[in-house]
Amino acid sequence: MDLFEYGVQQRMGREAPLAARLRPRTLDEFVGQDEIVGPGRLLRRAIAADRLFSSILFWGPPGTGKTTLAQIIANTTKSHFTSLNAVLAGIADLRKVIAEAKERRKLHQIRTILFVDEVHRWNKAQQDALLPHVEDGTIILIGATTENPYFEVIGALVSRSRIFQLKALTAADTRRILLNALGDTERGYGGVEVQLDEAALTHLVDIAGGDARNALNALELAIETTAPDAAGAIHVTLEVAQESIQRRAVLYDKDGDAHYDTISAFIKSLRGSDPDAALYWLAKMLYAGESPRFILRRLLILAGEDIGLADPLGLVVANAAAQAFEYVGLPEGIYSLVEATLYLATAAKSNSAGAYFKAFQTVEAEGRVDIPQHLQDANRDAKGLGHGQGYVYPHEQAGHHVGQQYLPTALLGTYFYAPSAEGHEAAVQERLARWRAAQEKALGLTETTTLPEMSEAELQAAKRRLSR
Ligand code: ADP
């Protein structure tokens, strides 16, 4: 760095926004997040000992200290520290970093820590490119993401990393950060006479919603745009504070209950076919900064679970909306999200796909079952055991249908699927009734049972077993 660059950097340091100037330089200046950096915690010990054991993913809402923690590690480690922003940097930048890291390791035995901000913004191919170098230790990755890494980061990276979840800062934490800013003579407003009303402080803390950057930006704006009074003091009243902070609902309460309650109200409104309520809860979530991708994932689930075959386009529309959103992003990407919401709210509804879980339960409960001989694979019948013998090819029959047996003998006459009479599925119901009658006649079945619908609790329990 020459003298000119040094001067520019010094000036930038002074002129940088308050939040950037006040970025904690050490863990002692870092506020809150005790669960991950409190006394004795693994990450605190690892930073103190300068021994990062593996790659790390910091996951949490904006302005809660992800980048700051990475910077603190940068300030304390003997390893080389370099950073990339996944929104701005691509594969070429990554290759350059990797080449330099290899060189550094070979010539000087120095490790490289690479910080990738918003790592979820890299696509799979870009994330894949990191893998071999994380694997062989050329690079220790510190990724930061506001999105759930189990969905947004490739599995191979997640399994090679330790995930640390940061929470929205508590009201007490945010208050402390604001008061530190007022008191700091070197980087904050310690040298300026500021009178911050209690109501103004409470308002800033409330509306910031646990985002320290948001709180500090608002405080800075309030102070910088208010003229000192006759005595030379800058008076920040509630009105000034209200004007200074961008309104953001405090959706995420401490335990995230509001987050789950709001998405639950949204999904229930869709299932209940109330487009107005669905739009209201959608707006509420987006206003509060909920991730559109999270909402789109829930729409995909709902399309399968609650619209089902009553309108098979439901899943297509939800899927198209999710893809369109990836291309367009906010703000215009909102249309695909809104259209999918309205489509699903007003579509015919069926939960008949839940029939799968009746079959799953049956399989769980039964012992060894033989596959009927005529259904077995004739191509693998090298030993002449009669596999596939007796099978009738439906397309050669009238109406492309033949009444033959497909279930194991013990289950003959058992029906899992009960199509609804809604939308597209009404036609399915009619067709299936005909086919089942033909099959019953051909097989001489006098008794059939349609397994009863499972209760909500049974369904949930079966789903949990399914995902184990
Ligand atoms: P992000 O989680 O979005 O990466 P940053 O770590 O960049 O957020 O935080 C933005 C600013 O907010 C920092 O420059 C710092 O001033 C303040 N900040 C965030 N978290 C904390 C914290 N835990 N303690 C003190 N200041 C914080």
Side-chain angles (χ1 to χ4, degrees):
M1 188 186 317
D2 63 21
L3 264 182
F4 175 74
E5 280 177 58
Y6 180 76
V8 170
Q9 212 176 59
Q10 288 293 304
R11 230 180 9 262
M12 268 176 49
R14 272 197 310 275
E15 289 165 9
L18 179 68
R21 296 204 307 272
L22 281 174
R23 192 189 284 291
R25 294 162 295 196
T26 63
L27 274 185
D28 294 330
E29 290 177 2
F30 193 81
V31 175
Q33 312 292 4
D34 281 352
E35 273 174 37
I36 60 171
V37 288
R41 291 287 173 179
L42 179 69
L43 186 59
R44 177 175 281 268
R45 286 185 277 123
I47 294 175
D50 190 11
R51 284 197 64 84
L52 281 195
F53 27 83
S54 71
S55 288
I56 287 178
L57 290 174
F58 289 130
W59 168 29
T64 53
K66 300 182 294 296
T67 308
T68 303
L69 278 178
Q71 285 287 343
I72 290 174
I73 293 172
N75 294 345
T76 48
T77 184
K78 285 196 203 65
S79 302
H80 181 82
F81 188 94
T82 182
S83 62
L84 289 177
N85 184 314
V87 180
L88 307 172
I91 280 274
D93 305 281
L94 181 59
R95 290 224 176 90
K96 188 158 168 271
V97 166
I98 288 165
E100 288 166 2
K102 279 191 172 145
E103 195 70 9
R104 210 171 281 122
R105 194 178 187 201
K106 203 165 88 199
L107 296 180
H108 311 290
Q109 285 81 48
I110 291 180
R111 298 189 309 170
T112 298
I113 298 177
L114 170 63
F115 175 60
V116 182
D117 199 8
E118 305 203 52
V119 64
H120 62 275
R121 298 288 289 266
W122 267 349
N123 62 28
K124 183 175 177 314
Q126 290 169 314
Q127 294 186 28
D128 275 340
L130 272 171
L131 264 183
H133 313 287
V134 165
E135 185 87 309
D136 73 9
T138 305
I139 275 179
I140 294 185
L141 172 75
I142 302 181
T145 175
T146 49
E147 304 292 323
N148 184 338
Y150 294 104
F151 291 116
E152 304 287 346
V153 177
I154 58 168
L157 262 186
V158 167
S159 65
R160 283 164 182 76
S161 307
R162 198 162 185 120
I163 294 178
F164 291 102
Q165 192 176 1
L166 288 86
K167 306 260 173 66
L169 293 167
T170 65
D173 292 340
T174 313
R175 180 174 268 266
R176 210 172 117 199
I177 290 171
L178 289 177
L179 292 176
N180 285 346
L182 287 184
D184 192 315
T185 45
E186 184 198 340
R187 298 178 291 163
Y189 290 106
V192 182
E193 175 125 11
V194 177
Q195 186 196 334
L196 176 64
D197 287 355
E198 174 56 33
L201 177 60
T202 308
H203 183 75
L204 291 180
V205 168
D206 275 357
I207 304 297
D211 176 338
R213 187 189 293 108
N214 202 359
L216 287 168
N217 284 349
L219 179 69
E220 182 175 31
L221 190 66
I223 293 175
E224 299 293 339
T225 56
T226 306
D229 60 18
I234 293 175
H235 188 186
V236 178
T237 60
L238 176 60
E239 288 72 39
V240 173
Q242 279 167 340
E243 273 175 27
S244 304
I245 188 149
Q246 207 192 344
R247 254 210 95 77
R248 221 163 182 258
V250 194
L251 179 75
Y252 295 94
D253 57 5
K254 218 169 53 245
D255 305 310
D257 284 349
H259 160 75
Y260 292 109
D261 287 343
T262 314
I263 189 79
S264 160
F266 174 66
I267 294 297
K268 286 181 173 135
S269 306
L270 284 164
R271 185 180 296 133
S273 303
D274 184 336
D276 304 293
L279 284 180
Y280 171 79
W281 294 116
L282 177 66
K284 189 138 182 117
M285 287 189 287
L286 292 173
Y287 179 71
E290 181 58 272
S291 152
R293 283 171 163 172
F294 170 70
I295 302 172
L296 283 159
R297 279 198 296 272
R298 297 300 299 254
L299 287 184
L300 284 164
I301 298 171
L302 174 112
E305 188 167 355
D306 296 298
I307 312 292
L309 291 187
D311 188 350
L313 272 181
L315 186 58
V316 177
V317 169
N319 196 36
Q323 276 189 17
F325 188 84
E326 289 306 307
Y327 285 117
V328 181
L330 282 175
E332 286 89 348
I334 191 71
Y335 291 118
S336 46
L337 183 50
V338 167
E339 279 162 31
T341 299
L342 289 175
Y343 190 93
L344 298 177
T346 54
K349 305 285 183 312
S350 165
N351 66 344
S352 61
Y356 168 73
F357 291 98
K358 300 183 202 170
F360 185 73
Q361 258 187 346
T362 304
V363 169
E364 279 181 314
E366 73 189 356
R368 196 197 126 89
V369 170
D370 288 328
I371 299 171
Q373 194 179 46
H374 67 285
L375 298 181
Q376 294 179 6
D377 184 0
N379 295 321
R380 299 190 331 124
D381 192 21
K383 293 190 187 137
L385 295 173
H387 292 187
Q389 231 170 57
Y391 173 68
V392 184
Y393 187 58
H395 295 300
E396 287 170 354
Q397 307 300 311
H400 295 248
H401 185 265
V402 56
Q404 69 186 330
Q405 172 184 353
Y406 297 103
L407 274 171
T409 305
L411 288 174
L412 264 187
T414 306
Y415 297 147
F416 303 114
Y417 177 44
S420 77
E422 300 303 310
H424 169 88
E425 210 173 22
V428 176
Q429 192 185 62
E430 185 268 327
R431 196 163 50 235
L432 187 61
R434 249 187 307 120
W435 284 341
R436 278 181 175 165
Q439 191 182 40
E440 285 160 19
K441 190 160 161 230
L443 300 178
L445 290 176
T446 46
E447 245 178 81
T448 62
T449 341
T450 300
L451 292 190
E453 294 306 313
M454 291 165 78
S455 71
E456 173 82 17
E458 283 174 320
L459 255 179
Q460 293 304 337
K463 270 196 234 169
R464 275 197 299 277
R465 294 200 300 281
L466 175 66
S467 57
R468 266 208 308 263

